[in-house]
Coordinates of all heavy atoms in Angstrom, one line a residue:
A23 N 11.3 97.8 217.5 CA 10.1 97.1 217.7 C 10.0 95.8 216.9 O 9.6 94.8 217.3 CB 8.9 98.0 217.3
G24 N 10.6 95.9 215.7 CA 10.7 94.7 214.8 C 11.5 93.6 215.5 O 11.2 92.4 215.5
F25 N 12.7 94.0 216.1 CA 13.5 93.0 216.7 C 12.8 92.4 218.0 O 13.0 91.3 218.3 CB 14.8 93.6 217.1 CG 15.9 93.7 216.0 CD1 16.4 94.9 215.6 CD2 16.3 92.5 215.5 CE1 17.3 94.9 214.5 CE2 17.2 92.5 214.4 CZ 17.7 93.7 214.0
K26 N 12.0 93.3 218.6 CA 11.3 92.7 219.8 C 10.3 91.7 219.3 O 10.1 90.7 220.0 CB 10.5 93.9 220.5 CG 11.5 94.7 221.4 CD 10.7 95.7 222.2 CE 10.2 95.0 223.4 NZ 9.9 95.9 224.5
Y27 N 9.6 91.9 218.2 CA 8.7 90.8 217.6 C 9.5 89.6 217.3 O 9.1 88.5 217.6 CB 8.1 91.3 216.3 CG 6.8 92.1 216.5 CD1 6.7 93.4 216.1 CD2 5.7 91.5 217.1 CE1 5.6 94.2 216.3 CE2 4.5 92.3 217.2 CZ 4.5 93.6 216.8 OH 3.3 94.3 217.0
I28 N 10.7 89.7 216.7 CA 11.5 88.5 216.4 C 11.9 87.8 217.6 O 11.8 86.5 217.7 CB 12.7 89.0 215.5 CG1 12.2 89.4 214.1 CG2 13.7 87.8 215.3 CD1 13.3 90.1 213.3
F29 N 12.4 88.5 218.6 CA 13.0 87.8 219.8 C 11.9 87.4 220.7 O 12.2 86.7 221.7 CB 13.9 88.8 220.5 CG 15.2 89.0 219.8 CD1 15.7 90.3 219.5 CD2 16.0 87.9 219.3 CE1 16.8 90.5 218.8 CE2 17.1 88.1 218.6 CZ 17.6 89.4 218.3
A30 N 10.6 87.7 220.5 CA 9.5 87.2 221.3 C 9.3 85.7 221.2 O 9.0 85.0 222.1 CB 8.2 88.0 221.0
R31 N 9.6 85.2 220.0 CA 9.5 83.8 219.7 C 8.2 83.1 220.1 O 8.2 82.0 220.7 CB 10.7 83.1 220.3 CG 12.0 83.5 219.8 CD 13.2 82.7 220.3 NE 14.4 83.2 219.8 CZ 15.6 82.9 220.4 NH1 15.6 82.1 221.4 NH2 16.7 83.4 219.9
G32 N 7.1 83.8 219.9 CA 5.8 83.2 220.2 C 5.4 83.4 221.6 O 4.3 83.0 222.0
N33 N 6.1 84.1 222.5 CA 5.7 84.3 223.8 C 4.7 85.5 223.8 O 5.0 86.6 223.4 CB 7.0 84.8 224.7 CG 6.6 85.0 226.1 OD1 5.5 85.1 226.5 ND2 7.7 85.1 226.9
P34 N 3.5 85.2 224.2 CA 2.4 86.2 224.1 C 2.7 87.5 224.9 O 2.3 88.5 224.5 CB 1.2 85.5 224.7 CG 1.5 84.0 224.6 CD 3.0 83.9 224.7
G35 N 3.3 87.3 226.0 CA 3.6 88.5 226.8 C 4.6 89.4 226.1 O 4.5 90.7 226.1
E36 N 5.7 88.8 225.6 CA 6.7 89.6 224.8 C 6.1 90.2 223.5 O 6.5 91.3 223.1 CB 7.9 88.7 224.5 CG 8.7 88.3 225.8 CD 9.2 89.5 226.5 OE1 9.8 90.5 225.9 OE2 9.1 89.6 227.8
I37 N 5.2 89.4 222.9 CA 4.6 89.9 221.6 C 3.7 91.1 222.0 O 3.7 92.1 221.2 CB 3.8 88.8 220.9 CG1 4.8 87.8 220.3 CG2 2.9 89.4 219.8 CD1 4.1 86.6 219.7
G38 N 3.0 91.1 223.1 CA 2.2 92.2 223.6 C 3.1 93.4 223.8 O 2.7 94.6 223.4
K39 N 4.2 93.3 224.4 CA 5.1 94.4 224.7 C 5.6 95.0 223.3 O 5.7 96.2 223.2 CB 6.3 94.0 225.5 CG 6.0 93.7 227.0 CD 7.2 93.2 227.7 CE 6.9 92.8 229.1 NZ 8.1 92.3 229.8
A40 N 6.0 94.1 222.4 CA 6.4 94.6 221.1 C 5.3 95.3 220.4 O 5.6 96.4 219.7 CB 6.9 93.4 220.3
H41 N 4.1 94.8 220.5 CA 3.0 95.5 219.9 C 2.7 96.9 220.5 O 2.5 97.8 219.8 CB 1.7 94.6 220.0 CG 0.5 95.2 219.3 ND1 0.4 95.1 217.9 CD2 -0.6 95.8 219.8 CE1 -0.7 95.7 217.6 NE2 -1.4 96.1 218.7
E42 N 2.8 97.0 221.8 CA 2.7 98.3 222.5 C 3.8 99.2 222.0 O 3.5 100.4 221.7 CB 2.8 98.1 224.0 CG 1.6 97.5 224.6 CD 0.5 98.5 224.8 OE1 0.8 99.7 225.2 OE2 -0.7 98.2 224.5
N43 N 5.0 98.8 221.9 CA 6.1 99.6 221.5 C 5.8 100.1 220.1 O 6.0 101.3 219.8 CB 7.4 98.8 221.5 CG 8.6 99.6 221.3 OD1 8.5 100.7 220.8 ND2 9.8 99.1 221.6
F44 N 5.4 99.2 219.2 CA 5.2 99.6 217.8 C 4.0 100.6 217.7 O 4.1 101.6 217.0 CB 4.9 98.4 216.9 CG 4.8 98.7 215.5 CD1 6.0 99.0 214.8 CD2 3.6 98.7 214.8 CE1 5.9 99.3 213.4 CE2 3.5 98.9 213.5 CZ 4.7 99.2 212.8
K45 N 3.0 100.4 218.5 CA 1.8 101.3 218.6 C 2.3 102.7 219.0 O 1.9 103.7 218.4 CB 0.8 100.8 219.5 CG -0.5 101.6 219.6 CD -1.6 101.0 220.4 CE -1.1 100.9 221.9 NZ -2.2 100.5 222.8
Y46 N 3.1 102.8 220.0 CA 3.6 104.1 220.4 C 4.5 104.8 219.4 O 4.4 106.0 219.3 CB 4.3 104.0 221.8 CG 3.3 103.7 222.9 CD1 3.7 102.7 223.9 CD2 2.1 104.3 223.1 CE1 2.8 102.4 224.9 CE2 1.2 104.0 224.1 CZ 1.6 103.0 225.0 OH 0.7 102.7 226.0
V47 N 5.2 104.0 218.7 CA 6.1 104.6 217.6 C 5.2 105.2 216.5 O 5.4 106.3 216.1 CB 7.0 103.6 217.0 CG1 7.7 104.1 215.8 CG2 8.1 103.2 218.0
I48 N 4.1 104.5 216.2 CA 3.2 105.0 215.1 C 2.5 106.2 215.6 O 2.3 107.2 214.9 CB 2.2 103.9 214.7 CG1 3.0 102.7 214.1 CG2 1.1 104.4 213.8 CD1 3.7 103.1 212.8
I49 N 2.0 106.2 216.9 CA 1.3 107.4 217.4 C 2.2 108.6 217.4 O 1.9 109.7 217.0 CB 0.7 107.1 218.8 CG1 -0.4 106.1 218.7 CG2 0.3 108.4 219.5 CD1 -0.9 105.6 220.0
G50 N 3.5 108.4 217.9 CA 4.4 109.5 217.9 C 4.7 110.0 216.5 O 4.8 111.3 216.3
T51 N 4.8 109.1 215.6 CA 5.1 109.5 214.2 C 4.0 110.4 213.6 O 4.2 111.4 213.0 CB 5.3 108.3 213.3 OG1 6.4 107.5 213.8 CG2 5.6 108.7 211.9
I52 N 2.7 109.9 213.9 CA 1.6 110.7 213.4 C 1.5 112.1 214.1 O 1.2 113.1 213.4 CB 0.3 109.9 213.7 CG1 0.2 108.7 212.8 CG2 -1.0 110.8 213.5 CD1 -0.9 107.7 213.2
L53 N 1.8 112.1 215.4 CA 1.8 113.4 216.0 C 2.9 114.4 215.5 O 2.6 115.6 215.2 CB 2.0 113.3 217.5 CG 0.8 112.7 218.3 CD1 1.2 112.4 219.7 CD2 -0.4 113.6 218.2
I54 N 4.1 113.9 215.3 CA 5.2 114.8 214.8 C 4.9 115.2 213.4 O 5.0 116.4 213.1 CB 6.5 114.0 214.9 CG1 6.9 113.9 216.4 CG2 7.6 114.8 214.2 CD1 8.1 113.0 216.7
L55 N 4.6 114.3 212.5 CA 4.4 114.6 211.1 C 3.1 115.4 211.0 O 3.0 116.3 210.1 CB 4.3 113.4 210.3 CG 5.7 112.6 210.1 CD1 5.5 111.4 209.3 CD2 6.8 113.5 209.6
G56 N 2.1 115.2 211.8 CA 0.8 115.9 211.7 C 1.1 117.4 212.1 O 0.5 118.3 211.5
A57 N 1.9 117.6 213.2 CA 2.2 119.0 213.6 C 2.9 119.7 212.5 O 2.6 120.9 212.2 CB 3.0 119.0 214.9
W58 N 3.8 119.0 211.8 CA 4.6 119.6 210.8 C 3.7 120.0 209.6 O 3.8 121.1 209.0 CB 5.7 118.7 210.3 CG 6.5 119.2 209.2 CD1 7.3 120.4 209.2 CD2 6.6 118.7 207.9 NE1 7.9 120.5 207.9 CE2 7.5 119.5 207.1 CE3 6.1 117.5 207.3 CZ2 7.8 119.2 205.8 CZ3 6.4 117.3 206.0 CH2 7.3 118.1 205.3
V59 N 2.8 119.1 209.2 CA 1.9 119.3 208.1 C 0.9 120.5 208.4 O 0.7 121.4 207.6 CB 1.1 118.1 207.8 CG1 -0.1 118.4 206.8 CG2 2.0 117.0 207.1
L60 N 0.4 120.5 209.6 CA -0.5 121.6 210.0 C 0.3 123.0 210.0 O -0.3 124.0 209.5 CB -1.1 121.4 211.4 CG -2.2 120.4 211.5 CD1 -2.6 120.2 213.0 CD2 -3.4 121.0 210.7
A61 N 1.5 123.0 210.5 CA 2.2 124.3 210.5 C 2.5 124.7 209.1 O 2.5 125.9 208.8 CB 3.5 124.1 211.3
T62 N 2.8 123.8 208.2 CA 3.1 124.1 206.8 C 1.8 124.7 206.1 O 1.9 125.7 205.4 CB 3.6 122.9 206.0 OG1 4.8 122.4 206.7 CG2 3.9 123.2 204.6
L63 N 0.7 124.0 206.4 CA -0.6 124.5 205.8 C -1.0 125.9 206.3 O -1.4 126.7 205.6 CB -1.7 123.5 206.1 CG -1.6 122.2 205.3 CD1 -2.7 121.2 205.8 CD2 -1.7 122.4 203.9
I64 N -0.8 126.1 207.6 CA -1.2 127.3 208.2 C -0.2 128.4 207.7 O -0.6 129.5 207.4 CB -1.2 127.2 209.8 CG1 -2.3 126.4 210.2 CG2 -1.2 128.6 210.4 CD1 -2.3 126.0 211.7
G65 N 1.1 128.1 207.6 CA 2.1 129.1 207.1 C 1.8 129.5 205.7 O 1.9 130.6 205.3
G66 N 1.4 128.5 204.9 CA 1.0 128.8 203.5 C -0.2 129.7 203.4 O -0.3 130.6 202.6
T67 N -1.2 129.4 204.2 CA -2.4 130.2 204.2 C -2.2 131.6 204.7 O -2.7 132.5 204.0 CB -3.5 129.5 205.1 OG1 -3.7 128.2 204.7 CG2 -4.8 130.3 205.1
V68 N -1.4 131.7 205.7 CA -1.1 133.1 206.2 C -0.3 133.9 205.1 O -0.5 135.1 204.9 CB -0.3 133.0 207.5 CG1 0.3 134.4 207.9 CG2 -1.2 132.5 208.6
T69 N 0.6 133.2 204.5 CA 1.4 133.9 203.4 C 0.5 134.4 202.3 O 0.6 135.5 201.8 CB 2.5 132.9 202.8 OG1 3.3 132.5 203.9 CG2 3.3 133.6 201.8
Q70 N -0.4 133.5 201.9 CA -1.4 133.9 200.8 C -2.3 135.0 201.3 O -2.6 135.9 200.5 CB -2.2 132.7 200.4 CG -1.5 131.7 199.6 CD -2.4 130.5 199.1 OE1 -3.5 130.4 199.6 NE2 -1.8 129.7 198.2

Side-chain angles (χ1 to χ4, degrees):
F25 278 118
K26 285 186 82 161
Y27 274 117
I28 292 170
F29 291 127
R31 296 183 184 165
N33 183 350
E36 292 298 317
I37 289 175
K39 289 179 185 177
H41 184 73
E42 285 281 316
N43 189 343
F44 189 71
K45 180 175 67 173
Y46 290 135
V47 169
I48 296 299
I49 290 171
T51 302
I52 290 170
L53 289 174
I54 290 170
L55 294 179
W58 177 64
V59 167
L60 280 175
T62 302
L63 290 174
I64 291 171
T67 303
V68 169
T69 302
Q70 286 181 350

